[in-house]
Amino acid sequence: MDTIRKYQDYVCTSFVAAIEPVVVERARGATVVDAGGREYIDCFAGIAVTNAGHCHPKVAAAAKAQIDKLIHAASYVYYVPPVADLAEQLAQVTPGALKKTFFGNSGAEGIETALRMAKAYTGRSEFIALTHSFHGRTVGTLSVTGNMQRKKRGGPYLPGVAFAPAPYVYRNPFGTDDPEVVAERCAEMVEWAIKYQTSGNVAAFIAEPVLGEGGIIVPPASYFRRVKEVLDRYGILFIVDEVQSGFGRTGKLFAIEHYGVEPDIMVMAKGIADGFPLSACTARAEIADAFQPGEHLSTFGGNPVSCAAALANLEVMLEEDLPGQAAAKGAQVLAQLREMAHEHELIGEVRGLGLMIGVELVTDRKTKQPAAKQAASIRAYAREHGVLIGVGGQEGNVLRLQPPLTITEGELERALDVIGKGLEMARSVSS
């Protein structure tokens, strides 16, 4: 098709193995329609972006109304009402004492802000991050990313970053299947990293409450509480990366709420405005106020249209109880996938919170050899049969199900039926 040819000739895409051969014409709810009129059940939501569904009427109406009034006004040069209103709303819905927000355009920009803010407040320059993590594709965010597959040929990266093992129960270095033992050991390793990999000048620890690109890794229940105890002993800030897990995705408005700890800085993007480009870095007031004139800015940050969409999106989240919907639908999907695991040896582990779900595929359950080829084949099979899913994980062997939270039970049933048939087909795929 003409669009595909233009992509091949004019769009830089060499950084992806292959673009899904779907020319997207329009979308609504959890349905994507291609240029030929074929419909797909979207179980990836633009990588966990359209949490309230594609083109939610309330979000679209708010953006259209704002476009007729003001599109751009340099929100850090002038006072812009939607920016002020959204910052106020975020202060009310985010956990703990988080209060002041810097708005950017992408998750990476939000993380860069958080790192800079932590340095400005503490006067320190080092960071602790996790293996398997992903925080963006700038030099700064890749420096705190613990996923080799995302960092290849991009170094050297910034110094002053130490890594502790991710609380990845299925693949942990401690020889145990006990989640609480893994939580304890991994928290101890955060302190080990502070003591033996840094100069004692650590500004912050950064982590995703559910590691998305790493393969939908869900930390054990006590992990962040144990880590926070370590951080408090050393006066280290906690930056939580909610770029992918925020806005109802895991069954609560923010995933860190599952763990009962309060971050010092929170970064949001993706689901914040249901598809409009926007990020938010929200911190305690005294931390946000540590910036001095000239130290930070964003020309397009706090775009009025994106902020208006985000305000409407937040209203939808609360009015339609999308976090509650994600919790209920996710529990059902997880139960069905775990039933499938009894029939399909290819499934090593099913894990997730809400509608942030990963299915890790292995060729052998004893050795846990990653089944990357099979994962790719199932993704292709699902697409060919009208279902869009993702694939992730360090080894590319985790099926990712992250649909719009408004997806219907019927759509989920059809999607799971296709995935089940894809698992059956993948038995014949050689490693």
Side-chain angles (χ1 to χ4, degrees), residues 28 55-68 276 308-309 312:
R28 175 77 63 169
C55 297
H56 191 287
K58 189 165 189 173
V59 177
K64 290 173 184 175
Q66 182 60 46
I67 285 172
D68 288 335
F276 288 85

Side-chain angles (χ1 to χ4, degrees), residues 72-77 102-105 109 296-304:
H72 175 76
S75 299
Y76 295 109
V77 176
F102 176 88
F103 292 108
N105 306 282
E109 190 176 350
H296 204 57
L297 194 77
S298 173
T299 299
F300 292 103
N303 175 267

Side-chain angles (χ1 to χ4, degrees), residues 115 129 135-136 138-146 151 156-163:
L115 300 176
H135 297 291
T138 62
V139 170
T141 55
L142 282 173
S143 297
V144 293
T145 287
K151 301 177 76 163
Y157 292 103
L158 300 180
V161 181
F163 289 91

Side-chain angles (χ1 to χ4, degrees), residues 203-221:
F205 165 78
I206 182 169
E208 305 157 84
V210 177
L211 286 75
E213 300 296 314
I216 318 296
I217 299 168
V218 182

Side-chain angles (χ1 to χ4, degrees), residues 7 146 394:
Y7 258 70
Q394 182 89 10

Side-chain angles (χ1 to χ4, degrees), residues 67-410:
I67 285 172
D68 288 335
K69 292 191 293 185
L70 179 68
I71 294 175
H72 175 76
S75 299
Y76 295 109
V77 176
Y78 308 103
Y79 296 107
V80 182
V83 177
D85 293 342
L86 179 57
E88 180 184 39
Q89 288 293 306
L90 291 177
Q92 293 173 358
V93 301
T94 50
L98 299 177
K99 185 176 182 180
K100 290 193 173 184
T101 295
F102 176 88
F103 292 108
N105 306 282
S106 67
E109 190 176 350
I111 296 295
E112 289 274 7
T113 300
L115 300 176
R116 185 77 183 274
M117 193 180 283
K119 287 182 177 182
Y121 177 71
T122 63
R124 303 176 186 175
S125 60
E126 296 177 306
F127 295 93
I128 305 295
L130 296 177
T131 63
H132 299 79
S133 62
F134 178 75
H135 297 291
R137 297 184 188 275
T138 62
V139 170
T141 55
L142 282 173
S143 297
V144 293
T145 287
N147 185 331
M148 181 187 70
Q149 300 301 329
R150 298 291 184 264
K151 301 177 76 163
K152 286 181 176 179
R153 303 204 313 160
Y157 292 103
L158 300 180
V161 181
F163 289 91
Y168 189 177
V169 177
Y170 186 68
R171 296 182 186 275
N172 72 83
F174 307 111
T176 178
D177 294 326
D178 186 328
E180 287 309 302
V181 173
V182 172
E184 182 180 7
R185 296 290 180 268
C186 285
E188 289 172 350
M189 291 303 290
V190 170
E191 186 162 25
W192 181 87
I194 295 167
K195 286 183 175 181
Y196 300 109
Q197 293 189 52
T198 77
S199 66
N201 199 38
V202 180
F205 165 78
I206 182 169
E208 305 157 84
V210 177
L211 286 75
E213 300 296 314
I216 318 296
I217 299 168
V218 182
S222 70
Y223 173 71
F224 284 110
R225 176 181 56 77
R226 294 175 185 272
V227 169
K228 191 68 166 61
E229 291 171 356
V230 172
L231 302 181
D232 289 347
R233 284 201 296 273
Y234 290 87
I236 295 171
L237 300 181
F238 177 25
I239 300 171
V240 64
D241 179 348
E242 291 269 8
V243 168
Q244 191 167 149
S245 59
F247 291 93
R249 171 62 49 193
T250 67
K252 291 186 181 292
L253 195 57
F254 300 104
I256 197 62
E257 295 177 76
H258 289 282
Y259 297 96
V261 299
E262 296 180 6
D264 299 293
I265 303 173
M266 175 185 284
V267 180
M268 300 155 271
K270 290 189 181 288
I272 190 172
D274 203 36
F276 288 85
L278 185 69
S279 66
C281 175
T282 305
R284 300 201 322 259
E286 66 272 23
I287 298 173
D289 289 342
F291 279 138
Q292 296 178 9
E295 288 188 337
H296 204 57
L297 194 77
S298 173
T299 299
F300 292 103
N303 175 267
V305 178
S306 293
C307 287
L311 281 163
N313 180 60
L314 191 53
E315 287 183 22
V316 170
M317 287 274 151
L318 302 177
E319 289 173 357
E320 300 184 15
D321 187 22
L322 294 190
Q325 288 196 45
K329 294 170 186 175
Q332 182 61 35
V333 171
L334 285 166
Q336 289 180 255
L337 286 169
R338 285 169 179 150
E339 280 297 315
M340 285 187 193
H342 296 306
E343 305 171 21
H344 301 283
E345 289 287 323
L346 195 59
I347 296 178
E349 184 179 51
V350 174
R351 53 183 179 259
L353 283 175
L355 285 172
M356 190 171 181
I357 295 170
V359 182
E360 179 153 357
L361 305 184
V362 294
T363 58
D364 186 308
R365 286 183 174 177
K366 289 183 179 179
T367 65
K368 299 182 181 179
Q369 178 66 31
K373 288 184 178 178
Q374 290 83 349
S377 71
I378 292 170
R379 183 183 191 181
Y381 178 92
R383 183 193 67 243
E384 291 162 4
H385 292 79
V387 177
L388 304 177
I389 65 173
V391 168
Q394 182 89 10
E395 304 296 335
N397 66 316
V398 180
L399 305 181
R400 296 170 61 182
L401 306 181
Q402 297 166 268
L405 312 185
T406 54
I407 192 169
T408 67
E409 293 183 7

